[in-house]
């Protein structure tokens, strides 16, 4: 399934990653601008690749781990470019681009599965379910990255040791705000993804909920994010605590994505999906 | 020969108490300028007076007399005995004075190196000198060059942008915590030059309001007035911390004014909003463990010094660059000053030539009476340009010698060759 479009997208995203890393070291604005456009070009090719796959499969290309990683990378880049419009935070790219390129590299190395798709997957509900979940995850991933940046910067300021990151990272208030908004925007997508998923399950499997491991873990992550959001909005949680919690939540989410697939099994797992 | 002299005091040479005596008052500048204008010995004068600096810049042909006069003016202005005053004064002459004024204008001599206000203060001091007509050829050029140097230092070096002083460092840190200082509230506890300077910097960076607490309420009122702030009593401090974002402490208290438990109890009510303590006092006012609280950041004076050292290296490089710019400009100015010495001779040379031309044309006026006015004009132009061509080489030669030690010899020879002094030309 490795198509020329995938390779071009991967190439551009790796190039953008290099650019963003040079940017964080050199702090030259034009380097950022170049990297930004290279990343946008990568996104365009990535989109072409996804559309091409969709036209071949007749379903959202997310049914195996390889495609899932690639789609996740796409969603992360889209969300980053959207957030950048609001926050204009250049250094975030230096964290997001490597993250997306990393996802793409994983996708590149693991084998995909070919073959006809079961008719049960050719449903609009599935497409909506998967795309909303991934957009939500992408927001939460960016919240996770912003939280890591926050903890690095907070450590500099608290410990009064000013490493090379101190001048390069933005202020604590900015990072906290990104963390806050990324979760605020991501959470509704996650919720919508779970609801559409259960509607799809009713339509395809006849039951809304069947305690599949991935369902359970999704619910746990959802509850954790709900708790974090509640504490932020109601109790005024912010700063370090919120950042740590955001990181913990995201790790649970990663476990939901990978662990529930690879370790626990269940009908959501790609091996089960692949039995088509 | 005209000398440029600068006499003054700054935060390094004079204690605060003395500077306070000479603190700028409504009409003091005009008064000093008028006094300078009336002094026989002083040709041109400029007077600069800020919170941290008093400076009299003047040109004179009689340095000793002029210096004495300035000392008298300053001592009368501040009502300070001359002996006490002169101990805190520095004096720069000629190119050292030029270098000094360039350094001051570039904000390299400021208490907060790189602070931008000084240039504005110098500009207004110059404007006053122009208005009072105490500024002449040399000071006009010197001041314009000083503005030029300041601009070059600002744009070509990073000296104004890096955290170079404690209060600047505090502002930079506050920005790393709060991003924008707009709308933030400052609580200033105690008094002191450094704390007030830090507060002033925070205000300059957009801080919305400031409250001032002091053991003696009267003093609080006094300080608050300077900042347009709100005076509060010492007992109100916990209540004030509730609203504040940045707290600057600088009291003489031997015990902690702000304890760990006091801040801890306030955090929940503050809804975890970040709180930044700047403790400038020695011994410290804020219990060090406050830094361990979530979203609370405490910096004492040593921590802030650490931040500055971070920039020290960079700053030194930038300072070298700034010094180079200033040296360049001092040399240029020195060259210009020397050409001034040639100017009188060149002028008398030209005057003499012009007199000769006019006299000769007058002599021939009867012979030329048949000519049309246009033809007569051609003859005048012709004779003038011949004279100018003849003089052009000697003049260029003199200008070329203007920065040589042999200049006086050549000037003297020129005056004798053309017998300039016998003509009664009193330049």
């Amino acid at each position: 399934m490795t198509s020329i479009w995938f390779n071009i997208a991967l190439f551009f995203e790796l190039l953008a990653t290099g650019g963003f890393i040079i940017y964080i070291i050199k702090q030259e604005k034009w380097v950022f601008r170049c990297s930004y456009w290279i990343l946008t070009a990568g996104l365009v090719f990535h989109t072409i690749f996804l559309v091409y796959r969709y036209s071949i499969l007749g379903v959202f290309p997310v049914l195996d781990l390889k495609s899932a990683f690639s789609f996740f990378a796409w969603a992360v880049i889209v969300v980053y470019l959207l957030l950048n419009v609001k926050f204009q935070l250049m250094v975030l790219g230096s964290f997001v681009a490597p993250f997306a390129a990393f996802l793409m590299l994983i996708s590149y190395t693991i084998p995909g599965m070919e073959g006809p798709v079961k008719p049960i997957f050719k449903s609009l509900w599935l497409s909506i379910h998967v795309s909303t979940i991934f957009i939500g995850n992408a927001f939460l991933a960016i919240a996770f990255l912003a939280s890591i940046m926050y903890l690095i910067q907070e450590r500099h300021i608290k410990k009064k040791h000013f490493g090379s990151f101190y001048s390069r990272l933005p202020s604590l208030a900015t990072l906290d705000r990104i963390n806050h908004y990324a979760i605020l925007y991501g959470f509704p997508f996650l919720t919508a993804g779970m609801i559409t998923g259960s509607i799809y399950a009713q339509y395809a499997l006849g039951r809304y909920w069947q305690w599949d491991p991935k369902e359970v873990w999704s619910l746990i992550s959802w509850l954790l994010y709900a708790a974090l959001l509640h504490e932020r909005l109601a109790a005024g949680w912010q700063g370090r605590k919120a950042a740590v919690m955001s990181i913990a939540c995201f790790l649970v989410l990663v476990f939901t994505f990978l662990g529930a697939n690879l370790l626990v099994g269940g009908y959501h797992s790609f091996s089960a999906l692949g039995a088509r | 020969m005209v000398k440029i002299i600068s006499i003054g005091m700054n935060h390094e040479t004079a204690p605060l108490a003395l500077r306070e005596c000479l603190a700028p008052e409504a009409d003091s500048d005009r008064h000093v300028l008028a006094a300078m204008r009336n002094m026989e010995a002083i040709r041109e004068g400029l007077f600069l007076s800020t919170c941290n600096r008093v400076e009299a810049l003047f040109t004179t042909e009689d340095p000793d007399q002029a210096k004495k006069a300035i000392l008298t003016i300053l001592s009368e202005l501040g009502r300070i005995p001359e002996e006490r005053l002169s101990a805190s004064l520095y004096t720069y002459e000629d190119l050292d004075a030029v270098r000094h004024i360039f350094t001051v204008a570039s904000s390299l001599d400021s208490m907060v190196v790189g602070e931008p206000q000084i240039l504005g203060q110098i500009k207004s001091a110059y404007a006053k000198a122009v208005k009072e007509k105490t500024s002449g050829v040399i000071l006009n050029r010197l001041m314009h060059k000083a503005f030029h140097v300041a601009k070059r230092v600002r744009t070509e070096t990073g000296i104004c942008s890096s955290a170079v002083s404690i209060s600047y460092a505090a502002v930079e840190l506050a920005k790393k915590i709060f991003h924008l200082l707009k709308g933030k509230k400052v609580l200033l506890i105690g008094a002191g030059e450094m704390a007030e300077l830090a507060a002033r910097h925070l205000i300059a960076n957009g801080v919305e309001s400031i409250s001032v607490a002091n053991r003696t309420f009267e003093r609080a009122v006094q300080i608050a007035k300077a900042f347009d702030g709100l005076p509060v009593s010492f007992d109100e401090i916990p209540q004030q911390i509730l609203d504040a974002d940045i707290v600057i402490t600088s009291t003489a208290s031997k015990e902690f004014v702000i304890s760990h438990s006091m801040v801890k109890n306030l955090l929940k009510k503050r809804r975890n909003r970040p709180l930044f303590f700047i403790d400038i006092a020695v011994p410290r006012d804020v219990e060090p463990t406050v830094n361990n609280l979530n979203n609370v950041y405490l910096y004492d004076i040593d921590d802030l010094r650490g931040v500055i050292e971070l920039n020290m290296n960079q700053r030194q490089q930038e300072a070298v660059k700034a010094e180079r710019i200033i040296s360049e400009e001092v040399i240029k100015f020195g060259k210009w000053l020397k050409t001034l010495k040639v100017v009188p001779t060149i002028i008398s040379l030209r005057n003499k030539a012009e007199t000769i031309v006019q006299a000769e044309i007058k002599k021939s006026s009867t012979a030329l009476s048949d000519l049309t006015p246009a033809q007569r004009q051609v003859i005048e132009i012709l004779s003038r340009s011949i004279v100018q061509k003849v003089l052009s080489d000697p003049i260029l030669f003199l200008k070329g010698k203007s920065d040589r030690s042999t200049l006086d010899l050549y000037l003297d020879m020129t005056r004798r060759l053309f017998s300039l002094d016998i003509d009664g030309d009193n330049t």
Side-chain angles (χ1 to χ4, degrees):
Chain A
M1 68 155 253
T2 327
S3 91
I4 179 79
W5 298 115
F6 180 91
N7 287 338
I8 297 176
L10 175 63
F11 171 73
F12 273 103
E13 281 156 18
L14 284 174
L15 200 63
T17 301
F20 274 116
I21 289 171
I22 293 174
Y23 167 68
I24 202 174
I25 296 168
K26 293 277 177 195
Q27 304 268 291
E28 303 270 4
K29 209 168 177 182
W30 67 269
V31 178
F32 168 79
R33 243 177 274 130
C34 289
S35 317
Y36 186 84
W37 288 113
I38 294 171
L39 189 66
T40 311
L43 181 77
V44 170
F45 288 113
H46 205 147
T47 312
I48 295 173
F49 165 73
L50 292 175
V51 171
Y52 165 74
R53 288 287 294 168
Y54 185 85
S55 72
I56 287 181
L57 294 175
V59 63
F60 238 69
V62 284
L63 294 180
D64 57 6
L65 200 57
K66 186 183 182 73
S67 327
F69 269 115
S70 132
F71 184 66
F72 191 27
W74 181 86
V76 166
I77 296 172
V78 168
V79 167
Y80 162 67
L81 293 179
L82 285 177
L83 282 177
N84 199 57
V85 173
K86 184 176 166 78
F87 290 100
Q88 301 278 321
L89 192 62
M90 299 197 278
V91 71
L92 188 59
S94 305
F95 286 72
V96 171
F99 184 70
F102 175 66
L103 294 174
M104 279 296 270
L105 278 177
I106 297 176
S107 172
Y108 180 75
T109 43
I110 54 179
M113 278 176 289
E114 287 298 341
V117 176
K118 282 192 211 164
I120 193 178
F121 294 135
K122 295 193 175 177
S123 153
L124 184 64
W125 284 112
L126 177 67
S127 297
I128 298 176
H129 163 59
V130 173
S131 53
T132 46
I133 283 270
F134 271 88
I135 294 285
N137 285 358
F139 270 110
L140 300 172
I142 288 192
F144 162 75
L145 293 174
S147 299
I148 290 180
M149 289 161 80
Y150 182 95
L151 290 185
I152 296 174
Q153 185 67 308
E154 210 240 6
R155 203 182 149 75
H156 279 138
I157 295 178
K158 274 263 172 174
K159 301 281 172 205
K160 294 148 192 173
H161 281 305
F162 300 100
S164 52
F165 269 120
Y166 170 71
S167 57
R168 295 188 164 89
L169 286 177
S171 66
L172 292 179
T174 311
L175 291 170
D176 191 58
R177 230 159 61 89
I178 290 177
N179 188 6
H180 177 63
Y181 279 103
I183 292 175
L184 201 62
Y185 298 149
F187 188 70
F189 280 101
L190 191 67
T191 314
M194 289 174 67
I195 293 171
T196 50
S198 93
I199 294 173
Y200 170 64
Q202 166 67 17
Y203 156 81
L205 306 169
R207 283 161 78 183
Y208 285 107
W209 188 267
Q210 47 186 324
W211 299 105
D212 171 74
K214 191 153 187 167
E215 287 175 2
V216 175
W217 278 101
S218 297
L219 186 66
I220 293 173
S221 343
W222 186 88
L223 286 172
L224 286 172
Y225 273 111
L228 170 56
L229 209 54
H230 173 267
E231 287 298 308
R232 257 191 183 281
L233 295 174
W237 260 31
Q238 54 177 301
R240 187 186 162 77
K241 247 189 203 167
V244 170
M245 180 77 174
S246 171
I247 290 171
C249 287
F250 187 74
L251 293 179
V252 174
L253 204 64
V254 169
F255 179 76
T256 310
F257 178 59
L258 288 179
N261 269 321
L262 303 176
L263 307 176
V264 193
Y267 81 88
H268 258 106
S269 74
F270 291 116
S271 51
L273 293 179
R276 45 193 173 187
Chain B
M1 182 60 199
V2 181
K3 265 178 135 27
I4 302 175
I5 298 180
S6 171
I7 293 183
M9 59 165 81
N10 64 13
H11 58 277
E12 275 170 11
T13 62
L16 181 65
L18 195 61
R19 276 169 11 231
E20 268 171 354
C21 296
L22 284 165
E25 274 169 45
D27 239 12
S28 55
D29 300 355
R30 221 164 54 86
H31 178 77
V32 172
L33 288 174
M36 279 170 136
R37 200 177 39 208
N38 294 335
M39 282 301 159
E40 195 64 31
I42 295 172
R43 270 194 166 192
E44 304 174 38
L46 180 137
F47 183 65
L48 170 71
S49 158
T50 73
C51 320
N52 291 322
R53 170 182 306 282
V54 176
E55 195 105 21
L57 179 68
F58 54 93
T59 61
T60 175
E61 285 182 348
D62 184 356
D64 295 330
Q65 198 62 36
K67 281 187 217 165
K68 253 183 228 154
I70 292 293
L71 190 61
T72 316
I73 294 174
L74 288 182
S75 96
E76 273 170 16
L77 179 75
R79 292 177 201 89
I80 315 163
E82 284 187 19
E83 313 81 65
R84 201 178 141 216
L85 186 64
S86 59
S88 302
L89 289 176
Y90 50 74
T91 306
Y92 294 101
E93 294 188 11
D94 291 332
L95 288 189
D96 289 334
V98 173
R99 178 182 298 276
H100 175 69
I101 200 74
F102 285 179
T103 311
V104 172
S106 313
S107 188
L108 296 176
D109 196 44
S110 301
M111 188 157 158
V112 180
V113 174
E115 57 98 8
Q117 284 104 323
I118 184 69
L119 184 59
Q121 288 160 340
I122 293 183
K123 277 186 175 165
S124 81
Y126 172 61
K128 277 176 196 153
V130 170
K131 203 176 153 207
E132 295 291 320
K133 301 197 173 59
T134 57
S135 162
V137 185
I138 294 179
L139 283 195
N140 283 343
R141 178 142 181 136
L142 178 59
M143 296 322 288
H144 282 113
K145 281 291 157 195
F147 305 150
H148 170 71
V149 173
K151 199 176 162 200
R152 274 193 71 190
V153 168
R154 174 141 315 159
T155 50
E156 291 173 32
T157 75
I159 210 125
C160 302
S161 58
S162 53
V164 286
S165 74
I166 286 182
S167 69
Y168 199 104
V171 171
E172 288 291 290
L173 268 170
K175 280 187 185 163
K176 275 291 180 197
I177 294 171
F178 297 107
H179 187 55
L180 289 177
L181 300 184
K182 216 176 140 193
K184 298 287 178 246
K185 289 183 175 156
V186 172
L187 171 62
L188 178 62
I189 302 174
E193 212 169 336
M194 194 102 85
E196 285 170 37
L197 201 65
R200 211 174 286 279
H201 262 240
L202 288 168
I203 289 170
N205 279 279
V207 158
E208 183 190 79
S209 67
I210 184 158
S211 309
V212 180
N214 204 291
R215 284 238 195 257
T216 47
F217 189 68
E218 246 184 311
R219 184 91 177 97
V221 173
Q222 208 179 353
I223 300 167
K225 210 172 142 198
F227 292 112
D228 219 2
L230 178 77
V232 297
S233 78
F234 225 65
D235 304 325
E236 279 178 282
I237 285 175
Q239 189 61 36
Q240 286 294 324
I241 293 179
L242 212 52
D243 290 327
D245 299 288
I246 301 167
V247 181
I248 305 171
T249 59
S250 168
T251 75
S253 162
K254 293 231 162 40
E255 281 108 50
F256 294 132
V257 176
I258 292 166
S259 66
H260 182 93
S261 60
M262 181 206 272
V263 180
K264 197 179 175 188
N265 292 335
L266 292 170
L267 283 185
K268 213 169 200 146
K269 280 193 216 151
R270 290 176 48 87
R271 289 179 58 88
N272 297 306
R273 278 183 299 119
L275 183 55
F276 181 27
F277 284 102
I278 303 165
D279 186 357
I280 292 173
V282 181
R284 289 179 288 186
D285 282 340
V286 185
E287 199 173 338
T289 50
V290 163
N291 192 45
N292 300 338
L293 291 165
N294 254 330
N295 296 330
V296 179
Y297 308 92
L298 165 62
Y299 274 71
D300 63 32
I301 193 91
D302 284 346
D303 298 332
L304 288 172
R305 285 212 183 95
V307 179
I308 296 166
E309 259 154 43
L310 176 77
N311 293 291
M312 227 22 168
N313 204 0
Q314 189 196 352
R315 184 192 153 193
Q316 260 154 9
Q317 286 171 6
E318 296 300 313
V320 169
K321 235 194 269 176
E323 295 281 327
R324 195 207 64 222
I325 291 173
I326 289 174
S327 297
E328 259 174 51
E329 298 287 342
V330 168
I331 290 169
K332 276 191 210 164
F333 194 82
K335 271 194 179 155
W336 179 80
L337 269 184
K338 280 181 182 146
T339 62
L340 277 187
K341 209 175 169 188
V342 195
V343 169
T345 304
I346 292 175
I347 290 174
S348 7
L349 207 51
R350 287 203 175 121
N351 284 347
K352 171 148 188 172
E354 179 62 25
T355 338
I356 294 173
V357 168
Q358 275 173 12
E360 291 307 307
I361 288 176
K362 214 173 171 187
K363 261 191 220 167
S364 319
S365 62
T366 41
L368 295 174
S369 60
D370 292 347
L371 299 178
T372 65
Q375 283 169 327
R376 226 175 293 156
Q377 212 185 346
V378 171
I379 290 197
E380 275 185 36
I381 293 173
L382 175 73
S383 25
R384 282 219 174 83
S385 57
I386 290 173
V387 169
Q388 266 170 21
K389 284 272 155 64
V390 171
L391 286 185
S392 127
D393 279 336
I395 288 176
L396 276 181
F397 175 83
L398 281 181
K399 278 187 178 165
K401 294 289 175 207
S402 62
D403 53 351
R404 298 290 169 80
S405 53
T406 47
L407 176 66
D408 284 333
L409 182 71
Y410 290 114
L411 282 179
D412 187 48
M413 193 184 290
T414 311
R415 301 193 87 89
R416 278 158 61 186
L417 267 180
F418 292 90
S419 57
L420 295 176
D421 294 320
I422 301 163
D423 267 332
D425 207 324
N426 60 346
T427 36

